[in-house]
Amino acid sequence: MRIDEFEERESLKNILWGTGVGTWEWNVQTGETRFNERWAEIVGYRLDELQPTTIDTWMSFAHPEDLQESEQKLNAHFQGEADYYECEARMRHRGGHWIWVLDRGRVVTWTEDGEPEWVAGTHLDITQRKQTEAALRESERLYRLAQTATGVGIWNWSLEKDQVFWDQHCWKMLGMQPSDQPMNYKSWRDRLHPDDLLRVEPEVQKQLKEGQGFVIEFRFLTANNTWLWLQGRGQVVEKTSAGLPLRMMGTHTDIHQRKEAEIRQQEQAEALKNSNQELEQFAYVASHDLRQPLRMINSYLQMLERRLGDDLDTDNRKMMDFARSGAQRLDQMLLSLLEYSRVGRKGQPKQQVSLATSIEEVLNFLYPEIQSSGAEITWNPDEWPEVYASFDEMTRLFQNLIGNAIKYHKADQVPVIHLGVSSKGAFWEMVIEDQGIGIDSTQFSRLFQVFQRLHAQGEYEGTGVGLAIARKIVERHRGEIWVESEGEGQGSCFYFTLPKNRAEAG
């Protein structure tokens, strides 16, 4: 062998080693094959373990599903339809798994009859590339499924050419085809709802100028001339060397159902607010104006009683007492209704208030009832926090709850009451605990409703509005109120919460 041939062969070996390819030679006429060591390594063997080798050696490693494609491409090359043979195929590795190879070759000698004789080629392990491609395809598939499931379409705006490219999901959600209308900024702008245009366009232009992104909700005209609510997101992704935006990309998300639900909810909330205001105004006017006829009834009953004097027999005097008592009772109920309607309307504005100060004021106000009943009330003023609330409403709340604890006690027992407070996350939890007459659990749902009494008028005084007022005050301050009791004769615990944070308290 000449020196130049030796050097050329060594150079070729070094190149093959550097590229990591296996080589093969195949005599098409006899089936004889020659492989290099790298060819065997690719399938997990040493070359000497595969000897003697023939075309059947290759066939034993090939995946059955790839044989037909490989044969078709070989024949295309043999018949002169392709300059070379190339096929991506799977081969069984010694470890039992399948690997991918890029199989390339070409005829290097022909028989005298023009048939292919020797074919030489290479095997390149492309398993990692194929796995990466499969992962990318799966990722793309899942991405498209997510797009379909979430109603998200992608757009791409080239500011340099003023062209807006939409993907199929954008066109589909609007019921349009790419051929319907060339999309640029003007055509996009022209399909915006007029009421949204003055809000959306300045925001887009501002973000373009600042090179930032945006999130905007707007209505867009569909192919069937209906308005569809979309959420548009955009981000500048490419700029010139001078920092000017060249390209913006983003998404369109179909939020139509959500926006319509929000709008209905807002309309219902507004209607409920107006209805509540009307009801409160009606309650205020009715309770205020109805007191005048009641005062007249009371006055005329007293005048009639004085005029008749001794002429009233026992039965008539009893009926007069019933009539006067009923009028007074109705007057008390109207006063209570008037007080209920004033919650949130006539009270002091919300500010930081000390609950201890509010309780002290209530205890001073209830001093006559405390003295006459001998009530024992325990509490620690230092434990009670400040909250963002209406001071007079807090005072009214404690007055109703503590007043009830004093009122509803057993006839042969002194009222024993404890006032407590504890921290519960973002809220303060207050409790007014008594050892009074208790409450049947089946009656809990009635307690906080207007004019709901659990006892006859002769047993305990009241109109059945005090706890309804307490509930309204607590809920106006974003809290909750409830009662716990083991049953009649077992005492009661009235709990309510108030937010610690001013923002939570509204």
Side-chain angles (χ1 to χ4, degrees):
M1 180 183 296
R2 297 197 309 269
I3 295 177
D4 56 346
E5 291 179 351
F6 176 78
E7 290 179 346
E8 182 178 349
R9 185 177 292 274
E10 287 300 310
S11 176
L12 180 59
K13 286 173 63 178
N14 291 334
I15 291 172
L16 291 173
W17 180 87
T19 56
V21 297
T23 63
W24 54 266
E25 295 172 273
W26 169 36
N27 189 314
V28 181
Q29 302 304 316
T30 66
E32 180 185 354
T33 57
R34 294 194 288 263
F35 304 132
N36 72 348
E37 191 69 41
R38 176 58 184 156
W39 191 98
E41 288 177 0
I42 289 175
V43 289
Y45 290 87
R46 296 191 313 274
L47 185 58
D48 59 19
E49 294 179 294
L50 302 179
Q51 298 293 352
T53 62
T54 66
I55 189 60
D56 292 334
T57 306
W58 180 84
M59 294 281 289
S60 67
F61 289 108
H63 196 293
E65 294 178 5
D66 299 336
L67 291 176
Q68 183 177 359
E69 180 183 0
S70 176
E71 184 177 2
Q72 289 174 350
K73 291 184 174 181
L74 272 172
N75 289 331
H77 173 51
F78 292 163
Q79 295 168 12
E81 298 173 5
D83 293 336
Y84 55 88
Y85 158 75
E86 181 176 286
C87 182
E88 294 181 356
R90 287 161 289 184
M91 298 187 72
R92 171 75 72 179
H93 190 273
R94 187 174 196 165
H97 58 277
W98 293 100
I99 63 167
W100 281 92
V101 297
L102 175 62
D103 191 10
R104 292 170 59 97
R106 66 188 308 169
V107 177
V108 293
T109 62
W110 300 83
T111 67
E112 293 180 356
D113 299 333
E115 295 294 327
E117 186 177 21
W118 280 97
V119 182
T122 59
H123 273 184
L124 176 65
D125 187 346
I126 59 171
T127 305
Q128 187 172 2
R129 192 199 83 192
K130 295 293 287 186
Q131 289 173 345
T132 302
E133 289 175 353
L136 286 173
R137 286 194 299 271
E138 179 64 9
S139 177
E140 176 72 9
R141 185 184 72 84
L142 294 175
Y143 174 71
R144 294 301 176 189
L145 286 175
Q147 272 191 294
T148 303
T150 58
V152 175
I154 298 175
W155 54 264
N156 180 346
W157 178 18
S158 169
L159 282 80
E160 186 178 22
K161 299 178 181 179
D162 189 22
Q163 291 180 333
V164 178
F165 302 95
W166 284 356
D167 75 350
Q168 59 177 336
H169 293 281
C170 279
W171 294 109
K172 184 178 180 180
M173 73 174 65
L174 297 170
M176 300 170 65
Q177 297 292 332
S179 57
D180 291 345
Q181 178 181 5
M183 194 57 62
N184 54 28
Y185 180 73
K186 182 179 183 303
S187 58
W188 177 82
R189 177 186 181 279
D190 289 345
R191 300 185 79 88
L192 287 176
H193 193 287
D195 293 345
D196 300 333
L197 180 60
L198 294 178
R199 173 176 54 84
V200 172
E201 187 171 34
E203 182 65 20
V204 173
Q205 295 301 327
K206 174 187 173 185
Q207 299 304 336
L208 282 174
K209 184 177 179 180
E210 297 177 356
Q212 301 297 319
F214 63 82
V215 179
I216 312 174
E217 296 180 353
F218 53 87
R219 285 159 289 183
F220 203 79
L221 189 63
T222 66
N224 59 2
N225 291 321
T226 59
W227 295 106
L228 181 72
W229 273 102
L230 299 176
Q231 182 189 73
R233 289 177 176 267
Q235 180 73 44
V236 175
V237 296
E238 191 177 348
K239 298 181 182 180
T240 66
S241 57
L244 298 176
L246 272 178
R247 185 178 303 278
M248 178 176 275
M249 295 184 68
T251 60
H252 280 167
T253 305
D254 183 348
I255 59 169
H256 195 77
Q257 290 185 348
R258 191 199 83 194
K259 288 297 292 187
E260 288 206 323
E262 288 178 0
I263 292 170
R264 286 195 299 270
Q265 189 175 22
Q266 290 171 358
E267 291 173 347
Q268 291 169 356
E270 188 65 26
L272 182 60
K273 179 182 176 182
N274 293 335
S275 176
N276 285 340
Q277 289 176 343
E278 291 172 0
L279 286 172
E280 288 179 355
Q281 184 65 22
F282 171 78
Y284 175 78
V285 171
S287 58
H288 182 272
D289 292 351
L290 285 174
R291 295 191 68 210
Q292 177 61 30
L294 280 175
R295 283 193 291 268
M296 290 179 61
I297 292 172
N298 267 324
S299 297
Y300 278 101
L301 284 172
Q302 292 172 5
M303 291 171 59
L304 185 60
E305 188 175 16
R306 285 196 297 269
R307 176 170 295 183
L308 294 175
D310 295 336
D311 293 337
L312 278 173
D313 58 25
T314 302
D315 289 339
N316 287 330
R317 190 175 297 278
K318 185 180 294 185
M319 286 188 287
M320 292 284 287
D321 289 340
F322 284 149
R324 187 169 53 253
S325 176
Q328 291 172 350
R329 169 72 178 150
L330 182 56
D331 187 55
Q332 291 174 353
M333 293 179 69
L334 290 174
L335 280 173
S336 297
L337 186 59
L338 185 61
E339 184 178 0
Y340 180 81
S341 70
R342 283 174 171 168
V343 174
R345 298 175 63 247
K346 300 292 184 178
Q348 294 175 346
K350 292 180 180 180
Q351 58 185 338
Q352 286 298 119
V353 300
S354 166
L355 292 181
T357 302
S358 179
I359 294 172
E360 287 170 351
E361 184 165 314
V362 168
L363 295 180
N364 288 333
F365 181 80
L366 294 174
Y367 182 76
E369 288 87 342
I370 294 172
Q371 286 295 102
S372 62
S373 65
E376 299 175 4
I377 301 177
T378 58
W379 70 299
N380 184 352
D382 296 334
E383 294 179 349
W384 291 76
E386 289 189 352
V387 295
Y388 186 69
S390 167
F391 181 79
D392 58 355
E393 289 186 3
M394 288 297 103
T395 301
R396 185 58 177 158
L397 172 62
F398 283 112
Q399 180 179 333
N400 288 359
L401 295 176
I402 297 173
N404 279 355
I406 296 172
K407 181 197 304 183
Y408 295 103
H409 69 277
K410 301 170 186 176
D412 58 344
Q413 290 184 357
V414 170
V416 177
I417 303 165
H418 174 70
L419 313 181
V421 61
S422 59
S423 176
K424 299 291 184 181
F427 290 82
W428 294 110
E429 182 179 280
M430 277 60 72
V431 60
I432 288 82
E433 181 180 359
D434 65 58
Q435 297 179 8
I437 62 174
I439 305 168
D440 187 339
S441 60
T442 61
Q443 303 297 317
F444 286 174
S445 60
R446 295 179 53 203
L447 276 179
F448 300 100
Q449 299 178 25
V450 178
F451 296 138
Q452 292 294 313
R453 293 177 50 83
L454 304 187
H455 306 279
Q457 181 66 30
E459 294 182 84
Y460 299 97
E461 294 182 356
T463 59
V465 179
L467 288 178
I469 292 173
R471 177 183 59 82
K472 191 174 183 182
I473 292 172
V474 171
E475 290 179 352
R476 195 176 91 81
H477 288 79
R478 309 282 180 88
E480 296 181 357
I481 186 168
W482 69 96
V483 63
E484 294 179 3
S485 176
E486 294 296 324
E488 294 183 3
Q490 302 299 314
S492 305
C493 292
F494 281 84
Y495 294 89
F496 67 92
T497 60
L498 294 173
K500 295 178 181 178
N501 185 282
R502 173 173 176 169
E504 291 287 341

